[in-house]
Amino acid sequence: CTDVIKYKTAQLFAASCRSAALLANAPTAIDSVLNAFGMNLGMAYQIVDDTLDYVADEAVTGKSIGDDLAEGKPTMPIVIAMEKADDASREALKRAITQRDIEQVGSVIDILEKTDAIKAVLELGKSYIAKANEALEGLPKSVYRDSLEQLTSFVIDRNF
């Protein structure tokens, strides 16, 4: 699951961050910092986004609860719940994902809560945010660096 995130969302974020360095003809060290920042921010963003699919307020996010389930996507919350769940819950999760059964979203959310999968996924997201902020230490202090740090806060705190 992390490989999908890495090669999809995180690469997009990294490329977006690096483009600023490339356009400014910044030194290679700055390019590397922004690449690391973007990769980690992208990982955190997607992990949190996958979590919001099960816990967010639809009116705030505009995203329907259970969209990933309806598409049969075993996102990080499901993967972690599968690792922690008992056999019956694991089978229920497999069935809901393979059958793309949106009617089971309530049961899936119950399993996510029972296994503390949401909490574990958010901790994983926070670890990527910490790495992103650590990467920013390679940039001089400025309003631009401050803005990037604020962006990391937004990514991890949105709608929780």
Side-chain angles (χ1 to χ4, degrees):
C1 192
T2 56
D3 281 347
V4 172
I5 296 169
K6 179 180 177 183
Y7 293 113
K8 186 179 173 193
T9 307
Q11 287 289 351
L12 175 63
F13 276 60
S16 298
C17 291
R18 287 189 66 214
S19 66
L22 296 172
L23 289 170
N25 292 319
T28 303
I30 299 296
D31 181 25
S32 295
V33 164
L34 291 175
N35 184 64
F37 171 77
M39 286 295 290
N40 286 295
L41 184 68
M43 293 293 293
Y45 176 87
Q46 190 61 58
I47 287 168
V48 170
D49 191 66
D50 290 347
T51 304
L52 290 173
D53 192 59
Y54 294 100
V55 298
D57 180 345
E58 293 179 45
V60 174
T61 63
K63 185 175 180 177
S64 298
I65 296 295
D67 280 350
D68 289 340
L69 177 65
E71 293 177 22
K73 291 181 185 177
T75 57
M76 191 61 72
I78 298 294
V79 170
I80 289 179
M82 295 277 279
E83 292 171 359
K84 295 179 164 200
D86 58 35
D87 290 341
S89 294
R90 194 174 301 116
E91 285 304 314
L93 289 172
K94 284 181 191 176
R95 205 171 29 259
I97 289 290
T98 57
Q99 294 175 358
R100 300 176 178 203
D101 189 355
I102 192 66
E103 299 299 319
Q104 295 301 312
V105 72
S107 298
V108 168
I109 292 170
D110 289 344
I111 295 168
L112 294 176
E113 290 173 357
K114 183 172 71 173
T115 59
D116 285 329
I118 297 298
K119 182 179 177 184
V121 172
L122 291 176
E123 288 303 314
L124 180 60
K126 288 177 183 178
S127 75
Y128 282 109
I129 289 299
K131 291 176 188 176
N133 283 323
E134 185 178 310
L136 289 177
E137 292 174 12
L139 295 177
K141 291 189 182 241
S142 69
V143 296
Y144 308 110
R145 177 177 156 177
D146 292 346
S147 293
L148 293 174
E149 288 171 348
Q150 289 173 2
L151 184 58
T152 63
S153 294
F154 167 77
V155 164
I156 202 67
D157 294 331
R158 62 193 171 124
N159 300 310
F160 286 105

